[in-house]
Amino acid sequence: MAVANTMYRVVVSAGLLLAFTWIVEGYNNGVSRLPPMGWNTWCTYGDCAQSFEPHPDPNHDICNAPEIMSVADAMSTNGMKEKGWMYINLDDCWTAINRTTDGNIQADPTRFPDGLEPVIQHVHSLGLKFGLYTSAGDTTCNTHGHPVGTWPRHGSFGHYKEDTATFASWGVDYVKIDWCGNKFGYDAETLHTNFSHWLNQTGRPMHLELCRGYTMGPGSISAYVSKVAQSWRVAGDNQDNWEGGTDKTIESFVNNSRLGGPYGWNYGDFLTTGGAGCSLVPPPTSTGPYLHCPGQTEEEYRTQFSVYALAASPLIVATDIRNMTSCMQDILLNEEIIAINQQTNTPGDVVGNLPVGKDRVQVWTRDIEDGSGVYVGIVNFNNNTQSATVPLAMISSKWTDKSTVTLRDLWARKQIGSITGSLQTTIKAHDTAVFSLKPMSL
């Protein structure tokens, strides 16, 4: 592991951070040269939105050993692993109520009676990687399906050194650090940098995802995040809805591409693609979880995946991949859209908004890494089908109204032919058309 141009001073007493000085100019711990792809527990069951007292959702973000191992089995056999999907990640659902008598973090003995290590070993035996969640403060954020009075669970504040060492000893590959609980006056840059330091000190390369605490929004992500982590959230929680959800996340990527690149990526939160059913919350007498009810249309899920690919966001899906609907298969297994995401060049960004209909269509581009052309995504923010004409000069500064390029539709997976001067297409409500364009001659 290499940590470049780094200086630090840490003073610790009784496991608590007391004084801190840190200067980081950037590091590469060998993890996530490309955006990671995987699955998370967040809304495999139940709703993607949190619910709290007096009626916490008993099914939201639950996890246990059989579930995690069965999801890993599914990822290894349903075509996802072959397409690059690799991580099996637990969210805020796995910790016990208390630490061990010597202060170490431990798994919930009801959900993981043998601890996490056998589960992690199973995941690794399939050629996959394992991730988990903690919080920068002294407690975590969510109810994780537990009854009132048994949450929130403990976070990592005061135990960064011990918890990261424990994660490494278990064989963890990915750590998400949230921003809940008491931080005792410390700011996000201080705590994130300190946690990153101890994670790297373990000697085990682990992906670090930052979740909140810093400035977020279009063009305003705090610059320090790219110096301490492999990914960082650019938007709030994705709760599987279009208005105020996916549409807002899309805007949060805008003008943040400057921070993204190998070993560090802008992240739009979980993909909420599809879901196996739409059953209601079970009655109190029911003992089984209810299926996640899809909150968006197939077109909206296609847009979410398209923009995440163009923006080079990590692709972490949080619905049940053991029950792959046709929508999930068509989107999550489209290798041509995945290829846009899995590049090391500068992430894509918005190059223009065209006034079409009552709203707009938004044009995203990302260069093809080998220099052969450009990927373009055209997002229809209108509530009805619209036709759009995009000048080739908007897509690339190398092209004019006389340029001729070949056109491939990546969602349809077919070659369209050649076009001159502009790209014309028709797009359903909240859908995104994605193409690769290559010049006829350089």
Side-chain angles (χ1 to χ4, degrees):
M1 179 189 315
V3 181
N5 301 320
T6 303
M7 297 183 291
Y8 59 88
R9 183 181 69 205
V10 181
V11 180
V12 177
S13 176
L16 294 177
L17 180 68
L18 297 182
F20 193 86
T21 301
W22 188 267
I23 302 172
V24 179
E25 297 180 11
Y27 73 89
N28 162 18
N29 69 355
V31 175
S32 299
R33 180 172 175 268
L34 299 172
M37 301 169 60
W39 169 87
N40 184 283
T41 57
W42 186 250
C43 48
T44 287
Y45 299 124
D47 196 354
C48 289
Q50 299 184 67
S51 58
F52 296 98
E53 296 185 45
H55 302 296
D57 181 353
N59 299 286
H60 175 68
D61 191 31
I62 60 175
C63 64
N64 54 57
E67 176 201 6
I68 302 309
M69 290 192 285
S70 66
V71 169
D73 290 341
M75 183 177 285
S76 69
T77 59
N78 65 8
M80 294 183 75
K81 180 182 176 184
E82 289 75 14
K83 305 292 185 181
W85 300 88
M86 190 62 57
Y87 286 92
I88 301 292
N89 291 351
L90 311 187
D91 211 82
D92 186 4
C93 62
W94 66 273
T95 54
I97 296 176
N98 299 308
R99 291 177 174 268
T100 64
T101 54
D102 55 2
N104 288 326
I105 199 167
Q106 61 180 335
D108 185 318
T110 301
R111 295 181 174 184
F112 300 93
D114 298 316
L116 284 182
E117 288 179 274
V119 176
I120 296 172
Q121 290 169 7
H122 180 76
V123 170
H124 287 166
S125 74
L126 299 171
L128 303 174
K129 297 181 179 181
F130 183 88
L132 48 67
Y133 166 108
T134 190
S135 180
D138 63 351
T139 62
T140 65
C141 300
N142 188 36
T143 64
H144 36 67
H146 288 297
V148 174
T150 65
W151 50 268
R153 299 296 170 97
H154 50 80
S156 285
F157 187 89
H159 299 272
Y160 289 3
K161 180 180 180 180
E162 295 84 358
D163 287 358
T164 54
T166 297
F167 299 157
S169 72
W170 289 345
V172 170
D173 305 296
Y174 186 120
V175 178
K176 170 185 174 179
I177 186 166
D178 213 335
W179 189 249
C180 282
N182 193 338
K183 274 76 70 175
F184 301 93
Y186 290 97
D187 60 47
E189 182 171 0
T190 298
L191 294 187
H192 286 155
T193 307
N194 183 237
F195 189 89
S196 174
H197 164 68
W198 289 118
L199 201 67
N200 281 290
Q201 287 294 106
T202 67
R204 179 177 180 82
M206 289 181 266
H207 180 107
L208 176 59
E209 174 200 329
L210 306 183
C211 180
R212 303 182 301 121
Y214 46 87
T215 303
M216 293 194 296
S220 62
I221 299 295
S222 299
Y224 83 86
V225 298
S226 65
K227 300 177 182 179
V228 300
Q230 282 70 52
S231 64
W232 45 87
R233 287 270 293 275
V234 298
D237 291 348
N238 189 343
Q239 299 183 348
D240 196 13
N241 56 296
W242 171 261
E243 187 173 355
T246 296
D247 64 347
K248 186 176 180 180
T249 300
I250 291 171
E251 293 300 331
S252 295
F253 281 118
V254 175
N255 295 331
N256 281 316
S257 60
R258 60 189 170 80
L259 289 177
Y263 311 106
W265 307 98
N266 295 304
Y267 178 38
D269 197 20
F270 307 126
L271 296 162
T272 53
T273 313
C278 199
S279 56
L280 300 176
V281 177
T285 55
S286 174
T287 58
Y290 70 102
L291 299 174
H292 169 65
C293 178
Q296 300 182 78
T297 66
E298 184 168 346
E299 290 78 18
E300 289 162 351
Y301 288 130
R302 196 156 47 228
T303 287
Q304 185 184 61
F305 200 72
S306 299
V307 174
Y308 275 47
L310 288 156
S313 169
L315 304 176
I316 309 293
V317 64
T319 45
D320 195 348
I321 62 172
R322 296 168 298 182
N323 297 292
M324 294 275 278
T325 63
S326 59
C327 167
M328 295 170 75
Q329 291 175 5
D330 291 345
I331 292 173
L332 300 179
L333 300 182
N334 187 314
E335 67 281 355
E336 297 196 44
I337 304 296
I338 291 172
I340 303 173
N341 179 264
Q342 295 291 289
Q343 301 187 110
T344 60
N345 59 339
T346 302
D349 215 324
V350 171
V351 295
N353 287 280
L354 301 175
V356 174
K358 293 184 178 180
D359 202 319
R360 70 194 189 284
V361 296
Q362 189 175 72
V363 183
W364 284 74
T365 64
R366 188 181 190 190
D367 289 341
I368 299 174
E369 189 168 19
D370 64 8
S372 62
V374 180
Y375 293 118
V376 58
I378 307 170
V379 185
N380 180 14
F381 280 90
N382 288 276
N383 294 328
N384 52 15
T385 299
Q386 295 290 335
S387 296
T389 299
V390 182
L392 293 185
M394 175 182 286
I395 296 171
S396 173
S397 61
K398 299 177 181 178
W399 298 338
T400 70
D401 59 357
K402 294 181 173 56
S403 298
T404 298
V405 300
T406 62
L407 183 69
R408 181 173 178 81
D409 185 327
L410 302 190
W411 279 117
R413 294 178 171 139
K414 67 178 182 180
Q415 203 71 23
I416 303 301
S418 63
I419 57 174
T420 299
S422 64
L423 191 168
Q424 299 180 14
T425 188
T426 300
I427 315 164
K428 293 181 179 179
H430 301 169
D431 203 354
T432 297
V434 183
F435 304 97
S436 64
L437 282 68
K438 297 183 179 183
M440 296 289 287
S441 60
L442 295 178

